[in-house]
Amino acid sequence: MDYHVKEVDRILNIYGSLSNFFGAYSKVYRFTTENIRQFFEHFSALDKDVLCVCGSGDQMLNAFYYGAKSVTLFDINPLSFYQANLKKAAVCALTYEEFLAFFFSQYESVMSFELFQRISEKLDSETKSFFHYLYSRYSKDILIQKLYFDFQPTILKMQEMNGYLEKTAYERLQNSLEAKEVRFLLGDVKHLAKQLKQSYDLILLSNISDCIEEMFLEHPLESFRELIDDLASFLKMNGVMEVGYLYDYLCIKSPKLFYQKESRERVFPAEKFPLLSVPSYYFYSNQDAIVTLKRERRR
């Protein structure tokens, strides 16, 4: 049994479920919780090298759909890599309608073993073994409860957030995806810069900015800025970084430091870290915002 499978087996035997708190061997998402589509439509990925959070795998699929030359995924949770591999293999193996039916909870066939068997023909052996272990122990409904966050978005909302999720886009991605290779970097984002061996045109940190108080117990904003500066040294000239993601940024009264405009802009000045306003992930909100950084030559 693979080490990661053994660890998941140990956790499930002791606690009955994976943790709801982000970390190694926590639950994973089936789909993104941010507007990736607008980022890639604003900042071209065509023929670019992309570094992004692994998460649900949607960052990777969007990057390739929008023409990325290479994608490197990083995450502290090794299970997110299995999820990304599952999503990639599903695009390669399933029709558009079958893909929706496998991943969206409004279908009876969500996470069905019959569709998984089709997907498994395109999976690497390690990911296949991980999911076979889960299917051998649990019904699909229990598997979903134990592995995934309780997150059930509509197809329409996910189409708004993901460029690849419209039918013609999915089919175009499907025609090229199987030949694409993905590199995985496992570890804490605080040490990511030490793992990097190349520079990138685009770096996407997703909503890691939501967790800086947990990541840095002292001076969270300043410490996060140091992390961003370290990663920015791996941006190519004119490269762009998604530094942070702000949900419902016009209205939210969040205690999180990164949402507090005055505190944030003291450390991340707006002229260097401009906001990109995007349609919101939340149904009750109009706008989210992406904090960006572009590497430019000093004048």
Side-chain angles (χ1 to χ4, degrees):
M1 187 184 291
D2 174 78
Y3 173 79
H4 298 311
V5 175
K6 288 181 180 179
E7 185 61 16
V8 169
D9 185 65
R10 184 188 70 82
I11 293 170
L12 292 178
N13 284 331
I14 296 174
Y15 301 106
S17 181
L18 300 177
S19 174
N20 286 312
F21 297 98
F22 292 118
Y25 304 105
S26 64
K27 290 182 177 180
V28 296
Y29 282 104
R30 276 181 282 170
F31 285 101
T32 184
T33 62
E34 62 180 293
N35 197 330
I36 306 170
R37 179 178 192 152
Q38 290 299 315
F39 180 88
F40 282 118
E41 291 187 354
H42 195 86
F43 301 109
S44 173
L46 186 61
D47 295 325
K48 302 292 180 61
D49 295 310
V50 178
L51 171 69
C52 56
V53 168
C54 184
S56 66
D58 278 342
Q59 284 85 351
M60 167 197 65
L61 293 179
N62 280 287
F64 281 134
Y65 168 67
Y66 285 103
K69 178 174 64 177
S70 74
V71 175
T72 300
L73 298 177
F74 68 90
D75 212 292
I76 195 172
N77 186 359
L79 307 187
S80 68
F81 300 137
Y82 294 144
Q83 172 65 13
N85 285 334
L86 182 72
K87 292 283 281 284
K88 181 174 183 283
V91 172
C92 296
L94 303 179
T95 67
Y96 175 71
E97 292 76 15
E98 290 169 337
F99 182 91
L100 298 183
F102 184 74
F103 285 107
F104 282 94
S105 295
Q106 48 263 60
Y107 291 91
E108 289 186 6
S109 56
V110 60
M111 296 298 294
S112 73
F113 185 66
E114 290 74 21
L115 284 175
F116 170 74
Q117 287 181 301
R118 296 261 308 284
I119 297 169
S120 68
E121 296 174 7
K122 302 290 186 179
L123 280 174
D124 62 285
S125 60
E126 187 175 329
T127 304
K128 186 186 301 184
S129 295
F130 173 73
F131 281 100
H132 268 299
Y133 153 78
L134 292 175
Y135 278 108
S136 70
R137 289 198 57 180
Y138 307 109
S139 69
K140 64 171 189 170
D141 293 334
I142 300 300
L143 183 157
I144 291 170
Q145 292 175 20
K146 292 183 179 295
L147 179 62
Y148 292 107
F149 286 106
D150 185 14
F151 168 64
Q152 302 180 37
T154 65
I155 294 173
L156 179 59
K157 176 56 69 174
M158 286 299 95
Q159 287 173 332
E160 293 173 358
M161 301 293 106
N162 294 281
Y164 79 91
L165 259 183
E166 295 176 356
K167 184 171 183 179
T168 55
Y170 178 91
E171 292 172 346
R172 184 166 48 164
L173 174 64
Q174 188 176 52
N175 290 334
S176 62
L177 186 61
E178 190 164 1
K180 304 291 188 181
E181 294 187 3
V182 182
R183 184 182 177 210
F184 296 103
L185 298 176
L186 177 63
D188 193 320
V189 68
K190 291 189 290 186
H191 310 299
L192 176 61
K194 296 178 181 178
Q195 294 182 272
L196 300 181
K197 306 297 183 185
Q198 68 175 88
S199 56
Y200 296 90
D201 300 285
L202 298 172
I203 298 177
L204 288 80
L205 299 186
S206 185
N207 58 355
I208 285 175
S209 54
D210 274 0
C211 304
I212 61 173
E213 285 91 341
E214 291 76 29
M215 292 168 57
F216 305 105
L217 298 182
E218 296 183 356
H219 310 296
L221 281 170
E222 292 79 3
S223 298
F224 187 50
R225 174 62 192 269
E226 290 179 11
L227 170 63
I228 295 304
D229 289 344
D230 286 344
L231 293 175
S233 67
F234 290 91
L235 272 176
K236 296 181 183 180
M237 196 57 60
N238 297 315
V240 176
M241 184 189 303
E242 176 197 22
V243 173
Y245 194 91
L246 304 173
Y247 296 97
D248 192 21
Y249 84 104
L250 293 176
C251 302
I252 196 167
K253 301 287 192 291
S254 173
K256 294 179 180 294
L257 283 172
F258 205 73
Y259 281 83
Q260 297 171 22
K261 184 175 185 291
E262 184 176 341
S263 297
R264 183 183 69 249
E265 291 187 351
R266 176 177 53 81
V267 181
F268 295 86
E271 61 272 17
K272 185 171 183 177
F273 297 91
L275 297 184
L276 170 65
S277 180
V278 300
S280 182
Y281 156 77
Y282 289 121
F283 69 89
Y284 56 77
S285 173
N286 290 322
Q287 297 294 317
D288 293 345
I290 300 173
V291 182
T292 66
L293 170 66
K294 184 175 183 179
R295 185 176 185 186
E296 298 178 305
R297 296 185 188 279
R298 293 183 179 178
R299 296 179 180 178

